[in-house]
Amino acid sequence: MSQRFDELKQYLDRAMALQAALQLFEWDDATVAPKGAGKLTSNVIRILSGEYFQAVNNEEVKSLVKACQGDESLTQIQAAQVRELAEELEKLDSIPKEEYQDFAHLTSEAVRVWEEAKEKNDFQLFAPTLKQVIEYQKKFASYRAKDGQKKYDVMLNDYEPGFNMELLDRFFDTIKKEIVPLLKAVADSKVMVRNDFLTGEFSDDQQERIGRFLAEYVGFDFSKGVMAVSAHPFTTNLHNKDVRITTHYHHNLDSSLFSIIHETGHALYEFGIRDDLTQTLVGQGASMGMHESQSRFFENIIGRNRSFWIPIYEKLQEVFPQELSEIGLDMFVNGVNKAEPGFIRTEADELTYSLHILIRYELEKELIEGNLSVEDLPQMWADKYEEYLGIRPENVREGVLQDIHWSQGSFGYFPSYALGSAFGAQLYYHMKKVMDFDGLLAEGKLEVIRDYLRENIHQYGKLKDSRTMLKEITGEDFCPEYYVKYLKEKYGKLYQLDS
Amino acid sequence: MSQRFDELKQYLDRAMALQAALQLFEWDDATVAPKGAGKLTSNVIRILSGEYFQAVNNEEVKSLVKACQGDESLTQIQAAQVRELAEELEKLDSIPKEEYQDFAHLTSEAVRVWEEAKEKNDFQLFAPTLKQVIEYQKKFASYRAKDGQKKYDVMLNDYEPGFNMELLDRFFDTIKKEIVPLLKAVADSKVMVRNDFLTGEFSDDQQERIGRFLAEYVGFDFSKGVMAVSAHPFTTNLHNKDVRITTHYHHNLDSSLFSIIHETGHALYEFGIRDDLTQTLVGQGASMGMHESQSRFFENIIGRNRSFWIPIYEKLQEVFPQELSEIGLDMFVNGVNKAEPGFIRTEADELTYSLHILIRYELEKELIEGNLSVEDLPQMWADKYEEYLGIRPENVREGVLQDIHWSQGSFGYFPSYALGSAFGAQLYYHMKKVMDFDGLLAEGKLEVIRDYLRENIHQYGKLKDSRTMLKEITGEDFCPEYYVKYLKEKYGKLYQLDS
């Protein structure tokens, strides 16, 4: 037993409790809080955030961390917590406190400015603020860069430890080379995929009924979880015994169905984290990309797989007899896989999704490392959509202003979405070797797949990074070719392309 | 501007934010949190409670409070905050920290023990723990007593500043002398009041529909408030722009109807607190009794008044055509006012309610100041129910174990419920002089009544105590005779008693 770690643990526990409170406020705000509460509740949140900052970032903690770093009596889990905390402290310490606070203030303003600009479809409203956000992030990255590290690499590493531009350039080059022509071939295909039956007057009650069924079927444990409604679906958790997902109910049925499966994928990760890790700094997903790998794995590789629907498609028809009794299983599965270029990332199908991310990656690199100016951003955005997806956004609301991320200062975050899909594909081809993947789906034995993922990924939290886990599980380093292979096989079959 | 107060304010703000977080956890636990979350979430709550304690109770705060107490540059609101904080500090300071923590631990255990004992209908399970709780509370009260103050007076003053046994003895003597015979007369009356139509298969959806209508009709502002479902109805708030009520839906319709009006009464108090007081130590109701006066005023004096239902009874019939279309307004109003002795306080009608409180007041006095031992409590409880209500509980679950309060260490709390009813009656007779009370109800002009209460009570928060407000509004000190008069008039009329 390390006495220093015990002292440090008091700070870690405070930080954990404050973090849980902040999570709860975020959940509450998105799901139930009254509209009028915002301003006064934000006072509360500002103070609690300050308390959190204070709990992890003070002289006492710094000296305890230093002492613990040399302490060989620490358990593996304790050492991992010290490592995470040390990284966080190093990050905060390299940035002058005043600049850090100014930036926090700027981004909270920036989100509001972005909302207004998006609402008014006016990029010029947002441009000056975005310029400032980028300047701060570049400055912070240069403070933090080690041994000639590039600024954008510093940012990427925050979301996906172990990844950098070199790896991602190779990844996105592969995508560009393979997916752009594949999408062209799909567009030229004579196969007409119907999905009109997915749009209609699906009642919220019915959508909720099938949504709860699906969540539970996929593995969501309602004794340790909650499902609610919010404007944008998300997953949050207080610990591994309290995991919460949200969805929304629209006129297109697939939106709620697949967002629920997606969020359940995130939720399974959180449920699966070991009891001795939850409520610690390492009791979270290994990385953004690994988290997205689980959600997108369940949403797409499982949820849009014909075998998945074999045992339960009748149930879906039962809930929507009017809308689906005439639609057969194959027509339904083909419909939810239809590929169509669109402007909005969050509504994209599996094939075009990676191109939305490719565009953002290229633009971020140009903004941070290259010479792209904020003024030229909307033009460049539109050019790239035209080049890769063959469509040109006519307004900034459906173009460069669609995502919240940049207003929050999140540069380097987008690649994780595509990485997640690619991790998932690599896992998929490996799992097909060690189990009868499609057979299990067809028999409704999802627990075998779930247990495998829990055993190999979920339980570890942040004890291992995503690249290490991939290597240990599949025997290979990260390999984007599996993702391309997956998309080619899937869409080649659906659109009857010659391969 | 006082620099010392500004320094103190940082601690006050932290305490406020932590308090808001704790409120939110409480709300969340009662309304949505998954069952399995309890144990881990209680870690979070324990830590946040400790942080709260630390924020208000430390040497820095003590010296700042001392400095502020002599500072004449403070505004009235600042001075009131300092006064509240000083009281809290004095209370905490007079109790050795170790004993305080032991007691906190004991009561958290005690609640669980009480739950089990109630479940198993076994008082002996709870008796040893209750004994300990009482010993602690007596000890704490003796630490805190000033100038020969009695221990139970110390406890009473915590919930109802300005009140003590002398005042309450007079109050409860009046109740005993007047209400016990009144209840006998009601029991002997030949008038049969029907309320069978209030029991049935009322669907949750319909109950919720009329519940939301009623809350809004009474004045609940859904842009700054939320209504949800929980096992026991309650009201909570984060500040005056976020006020939340709950209800439950049972087979007896009046339960949800009147619990919603009751909680809306509490909510109107919280909505009504001035913007410059909310999120401060004085931004709460003046006292427990004053808070209950508002909830019970709306529930009973307004909600069980025939005039209240004149504009809206048709709406109720519309929602429950099967159950109520044959029931006329008078039969409905009489039904919801039926007086019948029962064992359970929370289900009691307006007439018998005060006797439930009388019994608890007499028992608490005997436990704290007299010689009643915990062993003899169930017997004494049953004897008093027989004496005052004419019925004898056959088991402790419906007897001495029905309420949670004593397990939480809350002695001196019960009288506030009866005081609230009595405050309400005193206000009622005054308001009848300054406005056409029944006429306003009959015309659906509740805003006039609401504005009057906000103007005279709600807005002040804790700036004035309940006794002072009563005096300023009605021109009289607290006068329990109005309460007796109210019950005599109401039940005399309903049961056609000679007066």
Side-chain angles (χ1 to χ4, degrees), chain A residues 28 36 40-41 223 239 244, chain B residues 28 36 40-41 223 239 244 279:
Chain A
D28 186 77
L40 292 187
T41 299
S223 79
H239 41 67
R244 303 174 181 212
Chain B
D28 186 75
L40 292 187
T41 299
S223 79
H239 41 69
R244 303 171 180 213
Q279 296 191 316

Side-chain angles (χ1 to χ4, degrees), chain B residues 309-328:
Chain B
W309 289 97
I310 291 174
I312 57 173
Y313 186 60
E314 269 183 25
K315 172 81 187 176
L316 183 67
Q317 287 178 311
E318 242 176 73
V319 176
F320 299 106
Q322 275 195 310
E323 295 87 347
L324 295 181
S325 59
E326 305 284 301
I327 307 297

Side-chain angles (χ1 to χ4, degrees), chain B residues 60-177:
Chain B
E60 179 77 4
V61 166
K62 278 180 204 165
S63 85
L64 286 168
V65 165
K66 214 168 235 169
C68 285
Q69 280 175 320
D71 187 342
E72 296 198 346
S73 71
L74 296 192
T75 65
Q76 185 205 10
I77 295 170
Q78 291 173 339
Q81 291 179 68
V82 171
R83 188 196 66 220
E84 285 295 320
L85 185 53
E87 272 176 31
E88 181 71 11
L89 280 174
E90 197 183 324
K91 180 172 159 182
L92 296 173
D93 225 27
S94 59
I95 300 170
K97 195 178 169 191
E98 201 155 303
E99 291 184 19
Y100 188 90
Q101 287 176 320
D102 289 348
F103 179 66
H105 185 76
L106 173 65
T107 49
S108 83
E109 282 299 303
V111 170
R112 250 168 293 179
V113 176
W114 163 75
E115 272 171 357
E116 196 193 335
K118 184 177 175 181
E119 174 78 27
K120 295 189 174 159
N121 193 30
D122 182 352
F123 184 73
Q124 287 316 314
L125 269 183
F126 182 50
T129 309
L130 178 59
K131 235 178 281 181
Q132 283 181 284
V133 170
I134 293 172
E135 282 317 307
Y136 267 107
Q137 284 297 49
K138 284 167 79 167
K139 194 159 57 175
F140 292 170
S142 66
Y143 293 151
R144 296 172 53 208
K146 275 179 247 171
D147 313 324
Q149 200 183 13
K150 297 268 192 179
K151 293 190 283 286
Y152 193 48
D153 280 341
V154 174
M155 301 176 189
L156 289 169
N157 194 66
D158 279 347
Y159 301 106
E160 206 58 37
F163 279 76
N164 54 27
M165 280 188 281
E166 198 191 323
L167 259 167
L168 286 168
D169 281 347
R170 251 191 288 148
F171 173 49
F172 283 111
D173 277 349
T174 310
I175 286 179
K176 183 152 63 171
K177 225 166 39 208

Side-chain angles (χ1 to χ4, degrees), chain A residues 13-14 16-18 20-21 24-25 27-28 32-48 51 205 221-226 238-244 275 278-279, chain B residues 13-14 16-18 20-21 24-25 27-28 32-48 51 205 221-226 238-244 275 278-279:
Chain A
D13 282 347
R14 283 172 58 190
M16 176 280 291
L18 288 160
L24 186 62
F25 271 103
W27 158 268
D28 186 77
V32 290
K35 282 215 171 64
K39 214 177 123 214
L40 292 187
T41 299
S42 75
N43 291 339
V44 175
I45 290 169
R46 186 176 44 76
I47 294 166
L48 294 177
E51 291 291 294
D205 277 1
D221 180 347
F222 280 98
S223 79
K224 297 184 284 182
V226 175
L238 302 185
H239 41 67
N240 71 355
K241 304 282 187 291
D242 189 335
V243 182
R244 303 174 181 212
D275 285 348
T278 195
Q279 296 192 316
Chain B
D13 282 347
R14 283 172 59 191
M16 176 280 291
L18 289 160
L24 186 62
F25 271 103
W27 158 270
D28 186 75
V32 290
K35 281 215 173 62
K39 214 177 124 215
L40 292 187
T41 299
S42 76
N43 291 340
V44 174
I45 290 170
R46 187 177 43 75
I47 294 166
L48 294 178
E51 291 291 293
D205 277 2
D221 180 348
F222 280 98
S223 79
K224 297 184 286 184
V226 175
L238 302 184
H239 41 69
N240 70 355
K241 305 282 188 289
D242 189 334
V243 182
R244 303 171 180 213
D275 286 347
T278 195
Q279 296 191 316

Side-chain angles (χ1 to χ4, degrees), chain B residues 451-463:
Chain B
D451 288 351
Y452 184 88
L453 293 170
R454 170 176 293 206
E455 183 65 27
N456 287 283
I457 299 174
H458 305 169
Q459 63 152 320
Y460 293 113
K462 274 180 172 310
L463 287 184

Side-chain angles (χ1 to χ4, degrees), chain B residues 42 150 180 208 358 449:
Chain B
S42 76
K150 297 268 192 179
V180 175
E208 188 185 331
L358 165 65
I449 294 169

